[in-house]
Amino acid sequence: MLPGVISSPQGVFLCVPAQARRGPSVAEPDELIAGLFDRRFLFGLIRRRRTARAIAGWGDAEAVEPLCRALVEVTDPAVHRIALERLGALTEQVAIDVVCEYWAATRNPRLAALITEKGWQAEYAPLPRLLGKLFRGELTDLVQLEPDEIPVLLDATGDTDARVAEAARQVATHLQRADSVQRLVDLALLADDVRALKVLRDAGYQGGDPATRVQLLLLSEQVAVYLSFDPSGTHLGEVLKTAPLPRRQRLAEVARNHHLLPWTYAVRTLGLAEILPSEWDSLLLVLAEHGAYEDIWKWSVRAPVPVSMRYVRHLAELDWAPPPASPQGALFGKLASLAPRCEGDLQDLEERISERTIFEGAPGQATVLATSSDWHYMAVGGDHHDVRIFSLPDGEPVGTVEGMPGWTRALAFAGMGRLLAVATMTNRTQVLRLPDALPVASLETVDVTAIAFRGDGRLLAASCGARIDLWDVEKSRIVHALGNQGRPVKRLELSPRGSLLAAWGGDGVARVWSLPEGALLSAFDGAEGGLAVLSFSPDERFLAISDRGGIVRVYELPSCELVTEIAAETKVVRAIAFRPDGLAIAVGGHDHCVRLFSLPDGDLLGQMHAYAGASTLSWNSLGQLMTAATEGNRSARLWFPALPPMTVQALQTARADEIAWAQRRHSDPDLPRDERAWLTAWGTLAMAARGALPRRDATGARG
């Protein structure tokens, strides 16, 4: 026999302990509520029902939630009757809202029947209030929904209850308030909400300004309506200039799927460098579908190299070519012959490093190195009385400055490589004009450890022990002396326009002054005696500083507020260089790597390997990151990417000497076949951009 059960001829009776007969109300509320969910067969049944009756005696606010839970989670019909009877007697609106919220979350049929019977509506909870009206089919008032309730309505269009979802869609497509409709538009365009877009399409909405209308029509793929509204792509062109990148990608996809020719007209309004890869792909497919081969060719000679080769290859497969006698005939023939060979992983090719030994001599002959800002020249000095100058990036000797008054302590270029300053051990700094190395000025500098030139070459900063002297080069006189820094200055950096000066001292402090008045802007603490590196951004908005801790800190100027900290992944940072657009920074370490980080977030974008720790980093006009270093105090070496960037900017801005460099590399018999093909394609298009290719006259003869 079971404990607590007495058998008799009349049936089975439960033997309830005296403590249970006293009722559950003596328990704590949480402990009492737990009794509703007692799953035991006999004692649990009694406990659930007695607990439900006890909770039913509570006030509305206390009883409503546990009783709603009981209706949803408990299967005992007796508990359901107790709960429904008590919930039906609710009078407080806050408690009624709780019932509505439970129904909205669970769609329990018992709660639904109770709410319908009582005609309850939530007042304080937007979702239950709205769902309740949709469930009951009370749609008349809902078309006047306020803008803040539109997101809730959109959620309801995807409701699991088909009746609610359909009612929500009917309301959404018949909204009468203009501000609520505008909220739908904002959600569709600003938040990329596809539900809002579908509602607007189903509602046949075509209002708003032309830019809004164009986007809604295309994103909802109402292409026929769009074509009748914007056949020339004028409004779409305005959209592409300001639309976020994900939306432009979506528009390109729509154009590709529907062969939308006006979209190609709109893309023409963009700068070539602004066109996305997905847009280049769609351009080819749309133009090819319309047989616009002449347009494909026009895009080919303006596009990045990989795009150009793909376009030309497509035209060649279709046996299309410009007229042989036309000025473009020779160019097309050249590119068509190159296109099949331009294969392989271009990204892998662009990451290859070319290496060149610029100078190799006896120990101590390459202790100091400098490169001009335009990468025309490199100067190498050391423990001797000569300074050697080389052209970049080929490394050919330009000349040797002989008979300097002492060993070289520091070197600096200015004036796009037109001037070279050489600081020597004999307290004398010579300024030379290049390439003939004629003397321009001789400055008396004492205990020089670092020098820095302003870009125009008129101002030279020189550290003289713990003092910094600013020299007027033309007049060979000091125009300003910045006060004692406590310990000798080790590094100097002048901003590109010469309005700021940064210095690092032996006391581990980096200081920034404004020029020409020499006012101290700020001081940054670092590692005492650390190997500090300083670099200004091209627009002088930022200063990057690193000490031997391997952390690069970027500060905004003139506020000197910290923008970001970058863990350079190397113990010692030897060189820093901002990319010309200011959106990335290159960091050279002692671990034979140069890493590229994005700004301002500091994410690692990539790295270059296989060379000694960089002492100089710079970007050339092609957008290539070049690095130079001295090795073992006896050689100077240069590393740079094997290929120029295959971008529109690289083609349009390539200088004659850079094209000549590509031609010299092309003549290297050891150049890999894939590298040679891409290099040739780049050179051909770069020369075409400069108008340097041979043309044909009307008879087809070369001119």
Side-chain angles (χ1 to χ4, degrees), residues 237-257:
E238 295 301 316
V239 168
L240 294 183
K241 293 177 182 178
T242 58
L245 298 186
R247 190 173 310 149
R248 283 176 51 185
Q249 292 172 337
R250 174 65 180 138
L251 292 172
E253 180 184 351
V254 172
R256 180 171 63 250
N257 294 340

Side-chain angles (χ1 to χ4, degrees), residues 147-399:
D148 291 344
E149 297 179 289
I150 297 303
V152 180
L153 179 64
L154 283 179
D155 289 338
T157 61
D159 197 88
T160 55
D161 189 321
R163 293 173 301 170
V164 171
E166 179 57 31
R169 284 191 287 270
Q170 290 184 29
V171 171
T173 55
H174 292 83
L175 292 172
Q176 295 181 3
R177 289 184 54 150
D179 53 355
S180 295
V181 174
Q182 184 59 47
R183 182 65 189 277
L184 269 179
V185 173
D186 292 342
L187 289 170
L189 296 184
L190 301 181
D192 294 320
D193 193 317
V194 294
R195 302 168 305 174
L197 192 63
K198 185 177 185 301
V199 165
L200 291 168
R201 182 193 63 194
D202 294 343
Y205 176 78
Q206 296 183 20
D209 58 273
T212 299
R213 186 175 183 184
V214 161
Q215 293 179 82
L216 292 176
L217 290 175
L218 288 179
L219 293 175
S220 60
E221 302 198 27
Q222 300 180 71
V223 176
V225 181
Y226 165 75
L227 290 173
S228 64
F229 172 66
D230 188 30
S232 64
T234 303
H235 298 307
L236 181 55
E238 295 301 316
V239 168
L240 294 183
K241 293 177 182 178
T242 58
L245 298 186
R247 190 173 310 149
R248 283 176 51 185
Q249 292 172 337
R250 174 65 180 138
L251 292 172
E253 180 184 351
V254 172
R256 180 171 63 250
N257 294 340
H258 295 275
H259 315 303
L260 199 60
L261 197 59
W263 175 83
T264 67
Y265 308 151
V267 174
R268 294 176 185 174
T269 64
L270 298 173
L272 291 174
E274 299 173 351
I275 300 178
L276 306 175
S278 59
E279 291 172 331
W280 284 116
D281 292 341
S282 295
L283 268 173
L284 176 61
L285 294 175
V286 173
L287 292 173
E289 182 68 24
H290 288 274
Y293 305 130
E294 182 70 29
D295 287 337
I296 294 177
W297 167 240
K298 290 178 180 179
W299 280 108
S300 299
V301 296
R302 304 170 62 212
V305 180
V307 173
S308 177
M309 293 298 95
R310 189 164 72 251
Y311 280 26
V312 170
R313 188 183 300 119
H314 186 82
L315 292 174
E317 290 172 353
L318 295 173
D319 293 327
W320 183 93
S326 69
Q328 298 293 316
L331 177 59
F332 180 84
K334 177 68 173 177
L335 294 177
S337 67
L338 286 170
R341 289 179 276 165
C342 291
E343 298 176 347
D345 187 350
L346 181 59
Q347 183 176 0
D348 176 65
L349 291 176
E350 290 176 334
E351 292 176 354
R352 289 185 189 174
I353 303 300
S354 290
E355 177 182 332
R356 183 178 296 275
T357 299
I358 304 299
F359 169 78
E360 189 167 2
Q365 288 188 319
T367 59
V368 184
L369 179 147
T371 58
S372 62
S373 60
D374 60 356
W375 276 83
H376 271 168
Y377 298 111
M378 172 188 287
V380 179
D383 298 345
H384 54 92
H385 294 265
D386 297 336
V387 174
R388 291 169 173 82
I389 302 172
F390 304 88
S391 65
L392 296 180
D394 50 50
E396 295 298 320
V398 172

Side-chain angles (χ1 to χ4, degrees), residues 622-696:
L622 291 179
Q624 289 179 291
L625 177 62
M626 298 188 176
T627 177
T630 59
E631 288 193 328
N633 291 340
R634 64 177 299 163
S635 65
R637 310 180 76 182
L638 175 72
W639 292 264
F640 54 92
L643 293 179
M646 300 288 160
T647 62
V648 170
Q649 299 99 314
L651 294 171
Q652 293 179 336
T653 62
R655 302 191 308 256
D657 61 316
E658 290 166 338
I659 295 176
W661 161 76
Q663 292 172 330
R664 288 193 297 271
R665 281 190 53 76
H666 182 269
S667 63
D668 185 348
D670 297 327
L671 196 65
R673 180 178 181 275
D674 52 358
E675 198 171 304
R676 184 187 305 277
W678 283 109
L679 188 63
T680 305
W682 177 86
T684 302
L685 287 168
M687 292 177 69
R690 291 175 57 90
L693 283 179
R695 298 178 177 272
R696 297 175 183 267

Side-chain angles (χ1 to χ4, degrees), residues 366-441:
T367 59
V368 184
L369 179 147
T371 58
S372 62
S373 60
D374 60 356
W375 276 83
H376 271 168
Y377 298 111
M378 172 188 287
V380 179
D383 298 345
H384 54 92
H385 294 265
D386 297 336
V387 174
R388 291 169 173 82
I389 302 172
F390 304 88
S391 65
L392 296 180
D394 50 50
E396 295 298 320
V398 172
T400 301
V401 182
E402 299 177 342
M404 297 300 294
W407 295 352
T408 306
R409 297 287 300 272
L411 294 167
F413 280 98
M416 300 295 285
R418 294 190 301 272
L419 296 176
L420 172 65
V422 183
T424 65
M425 290 285 291
T426 58
N427 297 336
R428 182 67 60 180
T429 296
Q430 304 282 354
V431 180
L432 309 172
R433 188 182 69 191
L434 298 180
D436 49 19
L438 291 177
V440 172

Side-chain angles (χ1 to χ4, degrees), residues 95-111:
I96 293 172
D97 272 35
V98 173
V99 177
C100 294
E101 286 179 344
Y102 263 90
W103 167 78
T106 65
R107 305 306 167 85
N108 182 272
R110 290 177 288 275
L111 288 174

